[in-house]
mmCIF file of all heavy atoms in Angstrom:
data_model
loop_
_atom_site.group_PDB
_atom_site.id
_atom_site.type_symbol
_atom_site.label_atom_id
_atom_site.label_comp_id
_atom_site.label_asym_id
_atom_site.label_seq_id
_atom_site.Cartn_x
_atom_site.Cartn_y
_atom_site.Cartn_z
ATOM 1 N N LEU L 1115 -10.847 -28.525 8.929
ATOM 2 C CA LEU L 1115 -12.005 -27.738 9.212
ATOM 3 C C LEU L 1115 -12.488 -27.758 10.617
ATOM 4 O O LEU L 1115 -12.767 -26.715 11.187
ATOM 5 C CB LEU L 1115 -13.203 -28.196 8.277
ATOM 6 C CG LEU L 1115 -14.477 -27.552 8.381
ATOM 7 C CD1 LEU L 1115 -14.479 -26.107 8.083
ATOM 8 C CD2 LEU L 1115 -15.564 -28.249 7.517
ATOM 9 N N VAL L 1118 -10.313 -25.647 12.908
ATOM 10 C CA VAL L 1118 -10.358 -24.325 12.626
ATOM 11 C C VAL L 1118 -11.587 -23.683 13.145
ATOM 12 O O VAL L 1118 -11.660 -22.566 13.914
ATOM 13 C CB VAL L 1118 -10.241 -23.984 11.192
ATOM 14 C CG1 VAL L 1118 -10.410 -22.479 10.807
ATOM 15 C CG2 VAL L 1118 -8.835 -24.423 10.606
ATOM 16 N N TYR L 1119 -12.733 -24.363 12.874
ATOM 17 C CA TYR L 1119 -14.092 -23.753 13.435
ATOM 18 C C TYR L 1119 -14.057 -23.828 14.896
ATOM 19 O O TYR L 1119 -14.484 -22.901 15.622
ATOM 20 C CB TYR L 1119 -15.150 -24.659 12.893
ATOM 21 C CG TYR L 1119 -16.424 -24.380 13.522
ATOM 22 C CD1 TYR L 1119 -17.319 -23.272 12.968
ATOM 23 C CD2 TYR L 1119 -16.979 -25.058 14.598
ATOM 24 C CE1 TYR L 1119 -18.505 -22.927 13.483
ATOM 25 C CE2 TYR L 1119 -18.230 -24.704 15.151
ATOM 26 C CZ TYR L 1119 -18.902 -23.629 14.654
ATOM 27 O OH TYR L 1119 -20.077 -23.295 15.239
ATOM 28 N N ASP L 1120 -13.748 -25.035 15.564
ATOM 29 C CA ASP L 1120 -13.617 -25.055 17.009
ATOM 30 C C ASP L 1120 -12.910 -23.885 17.656
ATOM 31 O O ASP L 1120 -13.320 -23.205 18.647
ATOM 32 C CB ASP L 1120 -13.121 -26.381 17.437
ATOM 33 C CG ASP L 1120 -14.136 -27.579 17.331
ATOM 34 O OD1 ASP L 1120 -15.406 -27.195 16.906
ATOM 35 O OD2 ASP L 1120 -13.798 -28.756 17.501
ATOM 36 N N GLN L 1121 -11.689 -23.732 17.011
ATOM 37 C CA GLN L 1121 -10.838 -22.577 17.619
ATOM 38 C C GLN L 1121 -11.585 -21.187 17.533
ATOM 39 O O GLN L 1121 -11.616 -20.367 18.514
ATOM 40 C CB GLN L 1121 -9.562 -22.464 16.970
ATOM 41 C CG GLN L 1121 -8.647 -21.363 17.546
ATOM 42 C CD GLN L 1121 -8.327 -21.761 19.076
ATOM 43 O OE1 GLN L 1121 -7.778 -22.871 19.355
ATOM 44 N NE2 GLN L 1121 -8.748 -20.813 19.977
ATOM 45 N N TRP L 1122 -12.294 -20.955 16.424
ATOM 46 C CA TRP L 1122 -12.971 -19.739 16.308
ATOM 47 C C TRP L 1122 -14.076 -19.457 17.277
ATOM 48 O O TRP L 1122 -14.345 -18.382 17.682
ATOM 49 C CB TRP L 1122 -13.514 -19.517 14.793
ATOM 50 C CG TRP L 1122 -13.734 -18.102 14.445
ATOM 51 C CD1 TRP L 1122 -14.921 -17.375 14.789
ATOM 52 C CD2 TRP L 1122 -12.942 -17.181 13.797
ATOM 53 N NE1 TRP L 1122 -14.766 -16.105 14.437
ATOM 54 C CE2 TRP L 1122 -13.692 -15.919 13.777
ATOM 55 C CE3 TRP L 1122 -11.683 -17.323 13.231
ATOM 56 C CZ2 TRP L 1122 -13.020 -14.876 13.179
ATOM 57 C CZ3 TRP L 1122 -11.163 -16.199 12.635
ATOM 58 C CH2 TRP L 1122 -11.766 -14.976 12.629
ATOM 59 N N THR L 1123 -14.710 -20.593 17.787
ATOM 60 C CA THR L 1123 -15.727 -20.503 18.791
ATOM 61 C C THR L 1123 -15.246 -20.145 20.092
ATOM 62 O O THR L 1123 -15.996 -19.900 21.055
ATOM 63 C CB THR L 1123 -16.629 -21.815 18.779
ATOM 64 O OG1 THR L 1123 -15.825 -22.747 19.304
ATOM 65 C CG2 THR L 1123 -17.186 -22.085 17.511
ATOM 66 N N LEU L 1167 -23.738 -22.190 12.669
ATOM 67 C CA LEU L 1167 -23.931 -23.576 12.100
ATOM 68 C C LEU L 1167 -22.473 -24.264 12.220
ATOM 69 O O LEU L 1167 -21.647 -23.776 11.428
ATOM 70 C CB LEU L 1167 -24.370 -23.537 10.699
ATOM 71 C CG LEU L 1167 -24.714 -24.933 10.171
ATOM 72 C CD1 LEU L 1167 -25.839 -25.711 10.880
ATOM 73 C CD2 LEU L 1167 -25.234 -24.739 8.622
ATOM 74 N N PRO L 1168 -22.390 -25.285 12.918
ATOM 75 C CA PRO L 1168 -20.991 -25.898 13.166
ATOM 76 C C PRO L 1168 -20.387 -26.283 11.858
ATOM 77 O O PRO L 1168 -20.978 -26.816 10.958
ATOM 78 C CB PRO L 1168 -21.292 -27.155 13.987
ATOM 79 C CG PRO L 1168 -22.471 -26.718 14.800
ATOM 80 C CD PRO L 1168 -23.308 -25.989 13.900
ATOM 81 N N ASP L 1169 -19.059 -25.988 11.835
ATOM 82 C CA ASP L 1169 -18.213 -26.197 10.660
ATOM 83 C C ASP L 1169 -18.565 -25.426 9.321
ATOM 84 O O ASP L 1169 -18.122 -25.807 8.305
ATOM 85 C CB ASP L 1169 -18.217 -27.666 10.367
ATOM 86 C CG ASP L 1169 -17.467 -28.495 11.401
ATOM 87 O OD1 ASP L 1169 -16.656 -27.812 12.163
ATOM 88 O OD2 ASP L 1169 -17.753 -29.683 11.514
ATOM 89 N N GLU L 1170 -19.508 -24.456 9.509
ATOM 90 C CA GLU L 1170 -19.935 -23.622 8.408
ATOM 91 C C GLU L 1170 -19.983 -22.205 8.512
ATOM 92 O O GLU L 1170 -19.391 -21.456 7.731
ATOM 93 C CB GLU L 1170 -21.361 -24.116 8.018
ATOM 94 C CG GLU L 1170 -21.769 -23.752 6.607
ATOM 95 C CD GLU L 1170 -23.098 -24.441 6.132
ATOM 96 O OE1 GLU L 1170 -23.145 -25.709 6.140
ATOM 97 O OE2 GLU L 1170 -23.899 -23.716 5.760
ATOM 98 N N ARG L 1171 -20.572 -21.638 9.522
ATOM 99 C CA ARG L 1171 -20.616 -20.251 9.750
ATOM 100 C C ARG L 1171 -20.970 -19.774 11.094
ATOM 101 O O ARG L 1171 -21.661 -20.461 11.880
ATOM 102 C CB ARG L 1171 -21.639 -19.605 8.822
ATOM 103 C CG ARG L 1171 -23.099 -19.962 9.128
ATOM 104 C CD ARG L 1171 -24.078 -19.197 8.104
ATOM 105 N NE ARG L 1171 -25.311 -19.731 8.238
ATOM 106 C CZ ARG L 1171 -25.875 -20.735 7.610
ATOM 107 N NH1 ARG L 1171 -25.209 -21.310 6.597
ATOM 108 N NH2 ARG L 1171 -27.163 -21.110 7.804
ATOM 109 N N ILE L 1172 -20.589 -18.467 11.367
ATOM 110 C CA ILE L 1172 -21.008 -17.702 12.643
ATOM 111 C C ILE L 1172 -21.254 -16.405 12.158
ATOM 112 O O ILE L 1172 -20.329 -15.704 11.623
ATOM 113 C CB ILE L 1172 -19.836 -17.774 13.685
ATOM 114 C CG1 ILE L 1172 -19.489 -19.128 14.113
ATOM 115 C CG2 ILE L 1172 -20.355 -16.920 15.024
ATOM 116 C CD1 ILE L 1172 -18.243 -19.368 14.984
ATOM 117 N N VAL L 1187 -18.448 -14.995 9.474
ATOM 118 C CA VAL L 1187 -17.369 -15.717 9.108
ATOM 119 C C VAL L 1187 -17.737 -17.090 8.747
ATOM 120 O O VAL L 1187 -18.592 -17.749 9.363
ATOM 121 C CB VAL L 1187 -16.308 -15.733 10.414
ATOM 122 C CG1 VAL L 1187 -16.878 -16.440 11.488
ATOM 123 C CG2 VAL L 1187 -15.001 -16.397 9.901
ATOM 124 N N THR L 1188 -17.178 -17.605 7.591
ATOM 125 C CA THR L 1188 -17.602 -18.815 7.128
ATOM 126 C C THR L 1188 -16.277 -19.734 6.986
ATOM 127 O O THR L 1188 -15.183 -19.269 6.767
ATOM 128 C CB THR L 1188 -18.220 -18.874 5.708
ATOM 129 O OG1 THR L 1188 -17.407 -18.139 4.670
ATOM 130 C CG2 THR L 1188 -19.493 -17.918 5.729
ATOM 131 N N PHE L 1189 -16.560 -21.059 6.977
ATOM 132 C CA PHE L 1189 -15.458 -22.023 6.992
ATOM 133 C C PHE L 1189 -15.753 -22.999 5.895
ATOM 134 O O PHE L 1189 -16.945 -23.577 5.768
ATOM 135 C CB PHE L 1189 -15.418 -22.796 8.472
ATOM 136 C CG PHE L 1189 -15.359 -21.820 9.502
ATOM 137 C CD1 PHE L 1189 -16.458 -21.234 10.068
ATOM 138 C CD2 PHE L 1189 -14.141 -21.395 10.058
ATOM 139 C CE1 PHE L 1189 -16.410 -20.273 11.219
ATOM 140 C CE2 PHE L 1189 -14.037 -20.487 11.090
ATOM 141 C CZ PHE L 1189 -15.216 -19.985 11.637
ATOM 142 N N GLU L 1190 -14.761 -23.373 5.033
ATOM 143 C CA GLU L 1190 -15.011 -24.187 3.859
ATOM 144 C C GLU L 1190 -13.788 -25.169 3.884
ATOM 145 O O GLU L 1190 -12.573 -24.835 3.904
ATOM 146 C CB GLU L 1190 -15.021 -23.399 2.678
ATOM 147 C CG GLU L 1190 -15.160 -24.171 1.383
ATOM 148 C CD GLU L 1190 -15.001 -23.368 0.044
ATOM 149 O OE1 GLU L 1190 -15.007 -22.138 0.101
ATOM 150 O OE2 GLU L 1190 -14.786 -24.024 -0.909
ATOM 151 N N LYS L 1191 -14.080 -26.512 3.828
ATOM 152 C CA LYS L 1191 -13.124 -27.578 3.793
ATOM 153 C C LYS L 1191 -12.434 -27.452 2.362
ATOM 154 O O LYS L 1191 -13.224 -27.593 1.360
ATOM 155 C CB LYS L 1191 -13.704 -28.818 3.963
ATOM 156 C CG LYS L 1191 -12.670 -29.949 3.778
ATOM 157 C CD LYS L 1191 -13.459 -31.344 4.127
ATOM 158 C CE LYS L 1191 -12.565 -32.477 4.070
ATOM 159 N NZ LYS L 1191 -13.340 -33.767 4.372
ATOM 160 N N THR L 1197 -8.362 -25.409 5.312
ATOM 161 C CA THR L 1197 -9.583 -24.858 5.475
ATOM 162 C C THR L 1197 -9.502 -23.379 5.078
ATOM 163 O O THR L 1197 -8.656 -22.705 5.310
ATOM 164 C CB THR L 1197 -10.150 -24.966 6.906
ATOM 165 O OG1 THR L 1197 -10.038 -26.222 7.399
ATOM 166 C CG2 THR L 1197 -11.415 -24.238 7.205
ATOM 167 N N ARG L 1198 -10.613 -22.897 4.246
ATOM 168 C CA ARG L 1198 -10.793 -21.607 3.823
ATOM 169 C C ARG L 1198 -11.657 -20.781 4.755
ATOM 170 O O ARG L 1198 -12.713 -21.310 5.120
ATOM 171 C CB ARG L 1198 -11.258 -21.484 2.375
ATOM 172 C CG ARG L 1198 -11.306 -20.072 1.884
ATOM 173 C CD ARG L 1198 -11.646 -20.127 0.372
ATOM 174 N NE ARG L 1198 -10.654 -20.830 -0.418
ATOM 175 C CZ ARG L 1198 -10.696 -21.941 -1.050
ATOM 176 N NH1 ARG L 1198 -11.909 -22.583 -1.126
ATOM 177 N NH2 ARG L 1198 -9.794 -22.468 -1.641
ATOM 178 N N VAL L 1199 -11.119 -19.686 5.287
ATOM 179 C CA VAL L 1199 -11.993 -18.874 6.239
ATOM 180 C C VAL L 1199 -12.211 -17.543 5.483
ATOM 181 O O VAL L 1199 -11.360 -16.878 5.053
ATOM 182 C CB VAL L 1199 -11.189 -18.553 7.495
ATOM 183 C CG1 VAL L 1199 -11.933 -17.604 8.471
ATOM 184 C CG2 VAL L 1199 -10.724 -19.831 8.198
ATOM 185 N N ARG L 1200 -13.546 -17.191 5.366
ATOM 186 C CA ARG L 1200 -13.935 -16.029 4.793
ATOM 187 C C ARG L 1200 -14.677 -15.113 5.813
ATOM 188 O O ARG L 1200 -15.517 -15.494 6.547
ATOM 189 C CB ARG L 1200 -15.030 -16.250 3.642
ATOM 190 C CG ARG L 1200 -14.449 -16.785 2.413
ATOM 191 C CD ARG L 1200 -15.437 -16.664 1.371
ATOM 192 N NE ARG L 1200 -14.953 -17.167 0.086
ATOM 193 C CZ ARG L 1200 -15.058 -18.348 -0.355
ATOM 194 N NH1 ARG L 1200 -15.822 -19.351 0.324
ATOM 195 N NH2 ARG L 1200 -14.539 -18.641 -1.496
ATOM 196 N N PHE L 1232 -4.655 -15.170 13.280
ATOM 197 C CA PHE L 1232 -5.326 -16.333 13.608
ATOM 198 C C PHE L 1232 -4.855 -17.647 12.938
ATOM 199 O O PHE L 1232 -4.688 -18.715 13.471
ATOM 200 C CB PHE L 1232 -6.932 -16.295 13.133
ATOM 201 C CG PHE L 1232 -7.677 -17.471 13.326
ATOM 202 C CD1 PHE L 1232 -8.100 -17.904 14.549
ATOM 203 C CD2 PHE L 1232 -8.026 -18.245 12.121
ATOM 204 C CE1 PHE L 1232 -8.846 -19.058 14.684
ATOM 205 C CE2 PHE L 1232 -8.786 -19.478 12.310
ATOM 206 C CZ PHE L 1232 -9.229 -19.855 13.496
ATOM 207 N N PRO L 1273 -23.677 -17.937 2.426
ATOM 208 C CA PRO L 1273 -22.807 -16.852 2.841
ATOM 209 C C PRO L 1273 -22.107 -16.191 1.721
ATOM 210 O O PRO L 1273 -22.085 -16.727 0.652
ATOM 211 C CB PRO L 1273 -21.797 -17.625 3.739
ATOM 212 C CG PRO L 1273 -21.913 -18.985 3.372
ATOM 213 C CD PRO L 1273 -23.201 -19.168 2.777
#
Side-chain angles (χ1 to χ4, degrees):
L1115 172 65
V1118 173
Y1119 174 85
D1120 283 353
Q1121 185 60 59
W1122 199 278
T1123 67
L1167 181 60
D1169 297 333
E1170 201 170 300
R1171 69 179 169 263
I1172 301 171
V1187 59
T1188 62
F1189 307 87
E1190 177 186 350
K1191 178 179 176 178
T1197 304
R1198 185 169 297 116
V1199 179
R1200 282 192 180 98
F1232 173 74

